[in-house]
Amino acid sequence: MASPRLETFCCPNRDPATEFIIGFQPRLFSGMCACSAALSLAFTGLQILPKRRPFRHCPQPKPASSLRILFIISVCDLLGCAGIVVRSSVWLGLPDLVSRISDGNSSDAWPQVFCVGSAMWIQLFFSASFWWTFCYAVDVFLVVKRSAGISTIVLYHMITWGLTLLLCVEGVAMLYYPSISSCENGLQHAIPHYVTTYAPMLLVLLVNPVLFTRTVSAVTSLLKGQQGIYTENERRLGSEIKIRFFKIMLVFVICWLPNLINESLLFYLEMQDDVKSSDLKNVRNAALITWFIMGILNPMQGFLNTLAFHGWTGLNVDFSRQRRRELPWDSASTSLVAAGGYTPVAGSTLLYQSHVQEIKKNLSANGQQQHSDAISVLSEDSESSTVEIHISSEQREFEDMKTNGASLEISTG
């Protein structure tokens, strides 16, 4: 799990609330974290591997910025889960390591080095996952409203990794001042560390819903502007977009809301004179319950994210060389499963591509120049930005979408 309490635990003179929460059944908690992280690691890796498909309806487009971001989010989740597995396994296999961390007079620095290093690794990659989730919401909004693309993805890398490293290092430096073996007492020196940990999480919780809502509204207006009507297919499309964004936010809230609740309870305990007071029994129990929930749900974010992004992609992994250069989710975005003679579900993809000049030429030829402004806001000078929305339906083919005008499709040629 990812919590700033893990870094605080590395201080020998840790606060009573941290001592209480981490000292409660540590082996059971480490075992739960290791199992949850290992499951998430396995299933997330399975989800992002390329899958075999019997046929394709249309040529595969160039991987888009949004696809790259989704893949990077899962890579960050995988690396974070790997850190949880390693740390929990070491704590289970070497129980005396924890006691040596608590011994401030010990000359052995390796227990504290491992404690700090593993905690920073986990915080670094989960924080990066938060920032990339925020960038995904920004990217889909910019694709519809303005522009995004290869140059933008480079900017996303600079922002996410730069902010992640800066905030992580700054928070840890403030926490372990003047040294790991003699951290300052009191709550004040730890507050910057907690702020830098939870700032990107709160950013996603508060800003992403707004960006997703505005993106859905923009797509709805765009679809109406193409035909001048809003058919049942367009309504279905808008509903699919809303559901996908809702699932992304639902996974994030389920996995990380317990952290905010637990941290609030522990801060409340820290402000009390006696953490073990009988009057605080209910608060302590609530803190322990949310602590164990965090240990299960935090690592599962990786697997649940892949389900929210693309659904279950199946077990039919394709290791052929010709697919190795494809973005894994680019080939696994549509999963076709047949069982008992049931007609396979065909996945169709709505791609908002960025060939503005070609669009404007087509619109002018059709006498529909009044819609050019609405189309051109999808992107400017962008070669590969995409908002990819998967709409699964039985017995709906790619050609039917074209002839019925069910969606806006701008192909990459």
Side-chain angles (χ1 to χ4, degrees):
M1 51 151 317
S3 171
R5 294 286 164 179
L6 298 174
E7 285 96 338
T8 307
F9 180 74
C10 300
C11 292
N13 54 339
R14 64 189 71 96
D15 59 273
T18 301
E19 181 70 33
F20 161 73
I21 198 70
I22 297 185
F24 182 82
Q25 297 291 335
R27 294 182 65 83
L28 174 62
F29 181 75
S30 297
M32 290 176 56
C33 289
C35 291
S36 179
L39 287 174
S40 180
L41 197 65
F43 281 107
T44 303
L46 179 64
Q47 281 280 89
I48 66 176
L49 287 174
K51 304 298 189 300
R52 292 189 182 94
R53 292 189 293 169
F55 61 90
R56 290 183 180 180
H57 288 298
C58 57
Q60 202 69 14
K62 188 177 180 179
S65 57
S66 60
L67 287 175
R68 295 170 184 268
I69 292 173
L70 294 181
F71 181 71
I72 293 171
I73 291 173
S74 275
V75 171
C76 291
D77 291 335
L78 283 172
L79 293 173
C81 286
I84 293 176
V85 170
V86 171
R87 186 199 62 206
S88 299
S89 300
V90 170
W91 282 18
L92 284 172
L94 300 173
D96 61 322
L97 185 71
V98 178
S99 60
R100 282 188 284 166
I101 293 173
S102 303
D103 186 6
N105 297 322
S106 176
S107 58
D108 188 3
W110 285 110
Q112 291 181 335
V113 170
F114 174 78
C115 181
V116 174
S118 60
M120 287 186 64
W121 176 279
I122 296 168
Q123 180 192 344
L124 179 71
F125 285 106
F126 278 113
S127 295
S129 177
F130 299 156
W131 284 112
W132 278 111
T133 303
F134 171 71
C135 287
Y136 173 75
V138 172
D139 185 74
V140 295
F141 178 73
L142 291 180
V143 167
V144 176
K145 298 295 291 184
R146 291 196 298 114
S147 63
I150 293 296
S151 59
T152 311
I153 200 71
V154 173
L155 179 61
Y156 292 155
H157 275 288
M158 295 172 61
I159 293 174
T160 53
W161 296 114
L163 287 175
T164 299
L165 288 171
L166 176 63
L167 294 178
C168 182
V169 171
E170 180 186 2
V172 169
M174 293 292 293
L175 178 66
Y176 296 135
Y177 179 83
S179 68
I180 299 177
S181 59
S182 59
C183 306
E184 287 189 3
N185 290 319
L187 186 62
Q188 291 76 14
H189 82 286
I191 288 180
H193 174 59
Y194 289 90
V195 171
T196 56
T197 301
Y198 286 107
M201 184 189 302
L202 291 174
L203 183 69
V204 174
L205 286 172
L206 298 177
V207 180
N208 275 34
V210 177
L211 292 174
F212 285 152
T213 301
R214 296 191 63 181
T215 302
V216 170
S217 299
V219 170
T220 301
S221 300
L222 192 62
L223 291 173
K224 288 180 180 179
Q226 295 306 298
Q227 301 284 333
I229 58 175
Y230 198 53
T231 66
E232 181 61 30
N233 287 324
E234 271 93 17
R235 291 189 183 92
R236 186 186 301 117
L237 175 60
S239 177
E240 289 288 340
I241 296 172
K242 291 178 184 178
I243 291 173
R244 186 186 190 190
F245 290 161
F246 174 77
K247 288 190 294 185
I248 293 174
M249 288 308 305
L250 180 63
V251 167
F252 194 88
V253 170
I254 289 175
C255 291
W256 298 107
L257 185 60
N259 292 57
L260 298 177
I261 297 174
N262 179 264
E263 204 58 60
S264 300
L265 294 171
L266 292 179
F267 265 111
Y268 178 77
L269 288 175
E270 285 186 31
M271 293 186 293
Q272 309 304 312
D273 295 331
D274 185 8
V275 173
K276 298 183 179 180
S277 172
S278 58
D279 297 336
L280 301 174
K281 180 180 179 180
N282 292 334
V283 179
R284 291 197 302 271
N285 290 338
L288 290 173
I289 291 172
T290 52
W291 179 254
F292 278 83
I293 291 175
M294 289 163 55
I296 298 173
L297 292 181
N298 286 180
M300 291 303 296
Q301 178 192 238
F303 175 54
L304 295 177
N305 264 341
T306 61
L307 293 178
F309 296 153
H310 295 284
W312 175 246
T313 60
L315 301 174
N316 198 11
V317 179
D318 185 7
F319 293 104
S320 59
R321 290 186 177 181
Q322 61 267 26
R323 292 182 183 267
R324 288 182 182 177
R325 292 185 180 182
E326 296 180 3
L327 193 64
W329 282 346
D330 201 26
S331 61
S333 59
T334 304
S335 179
L336 301 176
V337 181
Y342 180 75
T343 303
V345 177
S348 57
T349 305
L350 173 68
L351 295 174
Y352 294 94
Q353 293 295 86
S354 60
H355 299 274
V356 178
Q357 298 300 327
E358 181 181 352
I359 299 166
K360 288 185 176 181
K361 184 173 71 173
N362 292 336
L363 288 172
S364 298
N366 294 330
Q368 296 179 352
Q369 187 63 40
Q370 63 271 24
H371 297 304
S372 62
D373 291 337
I375 300 272
S376 62
V377 297
L378 291 175
S379 65
E380 293 179 16
D381 302 327
S382 173
E383 293 273 327
S384 67
S385 295
T386 306
V387 180
E388 184 186 63
I389 306 298
H390 301 279
I391 308 164
S392 296
S393 63
E394 300 175 13
Q395 304 172 349
R396 188 170 67 161
E397 299 293 331
F398 179 73
E399 291 299 326
D400 294 334
M401 289 174 53
K402 289 174 60 179
T403 57
N404 294 333
S407 66
L408 169 65
E409 177 190 355
I410 305 171
S411 67
T412 57

